[in-house]
Amino acid sequence: MKKTALKLLSAALSLTLLLGAAGCGQRQAAAPEGPAKLAYVPLDDRPDNVERAVYLAESLDYKLLLPDSALYATKLDSQPLNPNGEQSGDRAELYEWVLQQEEEGCDRYILSLDQLLSGGLVGSRALAGENPVTLSDGTTLTETALLENLLSVLSQDENNRIWLLDSVMRLAPTVGYGGFGLNEYAALRNYGAMARPHLAGDDLRVDLITADYRLGTDGQPLSVQSTEPLPEGALSQYLSARERKLNLGAHLLDLLDDETHKNFSVLIGVDDSSLEDSIQKNEIAYLSAHLREGDWLLSGVDDLAFKAISALYLQDCGWEGAKASLRYIGGLEAEPACAYDYQPLNVVVDQHLEFFKLESLSGTRGADLQILVLTAPAEPERTGDYAWALNNALAENRKNKLPTILIDASNDAYGTVIHDALTQQAELSVLLAYSGFLDMAIVTGTALSHGVARYAWLTHSPSPETNDAANTAFVKSLSDGVIKDFAFRNTVRNDLYAYVREDLGGSPDNFYRPEIDSAAVLARLETDMQGSAAPVLANFSGGKLITSLSPWVEEDCGTLTISNYRFPWNRVFEIGMDIDRETTAPET
């Protein structure tokens, strides 16, 4: 039932009046019509936070409600600004959008606090001090007041299920945003990676953590090592942004620590870290110590939405877990998969298994599904053997009807060898999930989110084989990750980097510094992808799709085509694209 229009009151009005005007808690239950609505405020407008999140939600029969993209977009330096006149998202508009969804009867939410409080992930690394938010009626709220009001409104309806996404600030700000360049990034990341005093027990407090930001383990001030002098105030700005971020996170956990907020779940991701005892160590320890049961802190940030969408579905379908055969191929699972991880790969995987309630088995006997994880090669001269072992495992699982999640955590150690072998010898469309495109901590959460969600859908949906819309969304999500990894990352992207630098005289990291002919870059992308993606598209189009596990049912994957290529951040690093699936209706 639609609620009475929600009035946004001035800061002088009491919170009680705000809640009364919202009409929260007075909604009468109504039978759902069509897919359940899920309101989503993304981390930013990169494809993994938008298109693939939409695909994942739709594959689980959710209708994802999104605000206008201009409200959560991030603009790098010199690029055209958002309608709010900023490089970051519009916090006021997004806050009011969430309240509007509540007014209109939505009861499922996934909300990025980095976006709502800072205008996006990049903004959360740059904002320092107090940054008041002015609403459409002229009311001005502090950031903490905005957070408090939002939680209070959403907590009033006991039918609401809300996942709040947050992050531990990475070791350095963003290159190409707010005037920060490569020199500042390198210097501040090295500074952030230095060990700080270890705090524990009663000393693990926000004020003591931030007081130690500038100190080494010996209690002496740390110095910034930089090849060029940093801009005046750069270090203070960086540390102030960290302090603001930690204070907001601590305040969030304090607000939620009562029965009133039991319908909220918190998922915090650790962003761009290192194995060293960095500036993040005490922050992570503090936040971990204040999590409630059902809250989580895990490696990875760009996969937070995937994990939350899947976790929400598992809650809704009554998921009780599954048994997963876990197999590593490559031999380096006990080491961090890349320089941006603060934990070994097997620790990251084990934590995600616990998050999704997966019991790990060493063999396939008694397993409901298998997770294959490709690591960097312990013996580089044996890359061919590892490729064979991976393909052989996939073939055996197909023969034995064991659904499979594939994680490529090799960090490009095999070049195109693995991708070529999989394209030529495996049937990619029968996978539950695949990931290998992003930083290594992120690929774990991405693959397991999609894979566990698909497995749960196949085992809990009343008739998964007949839900063509959900199956189409699943195919789009799976193929999107494979195509970008196999066709774009290792071949086309490198060509585009060279093309922008050498032929256009520009920067592949920002098409506006200096401004170049972005249409020419897009045309080059389309031409290169037409050839590079063709074998992968043929693999999918000639393959089968698992649409039921009991009984086991496979259907034709259908013909896939790609259109509407784009560079959402006006840089070469990532691309967006639309995937269409055409199927032949079965004969009756």
Side-chain angles (χ1 to χ4, degrees):
M1 181 180 77
K2 187 170 181 177
K3 297 176 182 177
T4 304
L6 180 64
K7 304 296 184 182
L8 296 171
L9 307 178
S10 70
L13 292 177
S14 69
L15 190 56
T16 301
L17 285 176
L18 177 62
L19 295 177
C24 293
Q26 301 175 15
R27 182 191 309 147
Q28 296 177 2
E33 297 180 2
K37 294 179 179 179
L38 170 55
Y40 172 49
V41 173
L43 182 65
D44 53 42
D45 58 325
R46 287 171 298 161
D48 270 5
N49 294 319
V50 185
E51 289 101 299
R52 283 197 73 188
V54 172
Y55 294 154
L56 177 58
E58 291 180 349
S59 76
L60 302 172
D61 215 17
Y62 289 119
K63 178 177 176 56
L64 205 64
L65 305 176
L66 280 162
D68 186 276
S69 60
L71 299 182
Y72 57 82
T74 295
K75 303 297 183 181
L76 301 178
D77 290 345
S78 301
Q79 295 181 1
L81 298 176
N82 288 320
N84 63 348
E86 305 289 342
Q87 291 181 257
S88 55
D90 194 320
R91 298 177 296 162
E93 290 274 4
L94 290 170
Y95 169 72
E96 294 178 355
W97 180 85
V98 175
L99 296 187
Q100 180 185 356
Q101 307 317 303
E102 177 65 7
E103 177 190 346
E104 294 178 355
C106 186
D107 59 10
R108 294 291 183 270
Y109 296 87
I110 294 176
L111 307 176
S112 167
L113 294 182
D114 281 322
Q115 182 64 245
L116 282 164
L117 299 178
S118 306
L121 180 64
V122 172
S124 75
R125 303 166 182 163
L127 284 184
E130 285 289 335
N131 302 272
V133 180
T134 301
L135 306 180
S136 59
D137 66 352
T139 300
T140 297
L141 297 176
T142 64
E143 296 162 331
T144 53
L146 185 149
L147 178 61
E148 290 163 3
N149 290 357
L150 183 67
L151 299 190
S152 295
V153 170
L154 295 180
S155 67
Q156 298 306 301
D157 185 350
E158 63 182 14
N159 294 316
N160 281 345
R161 294 292 178 268
I162 308 109
W163 277 82
L164 301 175
L165 311 182
D166 202 5
S167 65
V168 176
M169 183 174 159
R170 76 177 191 173
L171 296 181
T174 302
V175 175
Y177 184 91
F180 273 83
L182 282 172
N183 176 62
E184 290 82 9
Y185 171 83
L188 292 175
R189 190 176 194 281
N190 289 336
Y191 181 84
M194 296 177 185
R196 267 63 177 183
H198 288 192
L199 300 178
D202 293 340
D203 289 336
L204 194 60
R205 306 196 321 250
V206 171
D207 60 331
L208 297 181
I209 293 171
T210 58
D212 285 348
Y213 276 167
R214 295 178 181 268
L215 304 180
T217 53
D218 58 0
Q220 297 301 308
L222 297 169
S223 59
V224 177
Q225 306 298 319
S226 177
T227 55
E228 300 175 14
L230 292 182
E232 184 177 355
L235 177 59
S236 295
Q237 169 75 15
Y238 163 68
L239 295 178
S240 181
R242 292 205 76 90
E243 183 172 357
R244 169 185 176 272
K245 188 83 174 64
L246 180 59
N247 272 303
L248 286 172
H251 189 55
L252 167 69
L253 298 181
D254 285 343
L255 290 172
L256 295 178
D257 194 20
D258 58 43
E259 277 296 303
T260 306
H261 298 93
K262 62 184 179 181
N263 54 347
F264 290 81
S265 299
V266 175
L267 179 56
I268 302 173
V270 179
D271 190 18
D272 180 3
S273 190
S274 76
L275 193 61
E276 306 301 322
D277 289 341
S278 72
I279 197 170
Q280 293 176 330
K281 187 177 182 68
N282 290 323
E283 297 173 336
I284 292 170
Y286 176 87
L287 295 171
S288 297
H290 288 78
L291 296 177
R292 306 161 302 160
E293 183 178 356
D295 295 339
W296 290 82
L297 185 148
L298 297 168
S299 291
V301 167
D302 289 326
D303 59 341
L304 284 173
F306 299 148
K307 287 188 280 208
I309 292 170
S310 298
L312 184 61
Y313 177 72
L314 297 182
Q315 286 178 307
D316 282 345
C317 76
W319 175 254
E320 295 182 352
K323 295 180 179 180
S325 169
L326 176 61
R327 180 181 175 185
Y328 292 96
I329 297 174
L332 291 183
E333 62 269 18
E335 299 181 7
C338 76
Y340 301 100
D341 293 346
Y342 81 103
Q343 296 171 312
L345 174 61
N346 55 3
V347 173
V348 173
V349 171
D350 287 347
Q351 290 179 348
H352 281 81
L353 295 183
E354 183 181 359
F355 177 77
F356 288 113
K357 297 183 180 178
L358 294 176
E359 178 186 345
S360 178
L361 305 178
S362 57
T364 58
R365 183 182 296 274
D368 299 308
L369 66 155
Q370 183 168 54
I371 302 166
L372 292 174
V373 184
L374 180 69
T375 78
E379 301 174 65
E381 68 277 6
R382 295 184 55 214
T383 55
D385 294 337
Y386 298 128
W388 177 88
L390 181 60
N391 263 314
N392 184 64
L394 291 172
E396 284 295 308
N397 289 352
R398 178 75 189 286
K399 182 176 70 174
N400 297 325
K401 297 182 178 179
L402 183 63
T404 305
I405 297 171
L406 176 57
I407 301 174
D408 180 359
S410 64
N411 199 20
D412 290 338
Y414 298 89
T416 61
V417 171
I418 293 292
H419 295 168
D420 291 345
L422 289 172
T423 303
Q424 295 164 13
Q425 302 170 33
E427 196 160 334
L428 298 170
S429 56
V430 299
L431 291 171
L432 288 178
Y434 165 84
S435 183
F437 182 62
L438 299 167
D439 291 339
M440 298 304 103
I442 299 169
V443 304
T444 299
T446 298
L448 290 179
S449 297
H450 287 79
V452 174
R454 180 63 177 178
Y455 179 84
W457 168 259
L458 292 174
T459 54
H460 288 73
S461 176
S463 52
E465 67 276 10
T466 62
N467 193 324
D468 189 62
N471 287 325
T472 293
F474 166 74
V475 171
K476 288 182 178 181
S477 182
L478 176 62
S479 60
D480 183 277
V482 174
I483 291 167
K484 287 176 180 175
D485 200 23
F486 287 26
F488 176 69
R489 183 179 69 169
N490 278 338
T491 54
V492 173
R493 188 168 67 178
N494 291 338
D495 174 68
L496 287 176
Y497 269 100
Y499 175 70
V500 171
R501 284 196 189 101
E502 298 168 12
D503 291 49
L504 300 182
S507 167
D509 298 318
N510 189 337
F511 298 162
Y512 284 82
R513 302 195 74 187
E515 188 170 356
I516 60 173
D517 184 356
S518 56
V521 191
L522 185 61
R524 183 64 169 260
L525 169 66
E526 292 172 343
T527 299
D528 287 1
M529 285 294 288
Q530 185 174 6
S532 187
V536 183
L537 289 172
N539 183 297
F540 272 90
S541 298
K544 296 289 186 179
L545 173 69
I546 301 170
T547 57
S548 176
L549 296 177
S550 182
W552 187 276
V553 177
E554 295 181 9
E555 298 178 4
D556 289 340
C557 181
T559 301
L560 304 185
T561 55
I562 307 174
S563 61
N564 192 26
Y565 286 107
R566 52 198 177 273
F567 296 101
W569 275 23
N570 288 295
R571 63 179 185 179
V572 168
F573 184 78
E574 71 270 286
I575 61 170
M577 60 188 189
D578 293 343
I579 299 175
D580 296 310
R581 177 192 183 217
E582 182 178 342
T583 58
T584 302
E587 295 183 4
T588 58

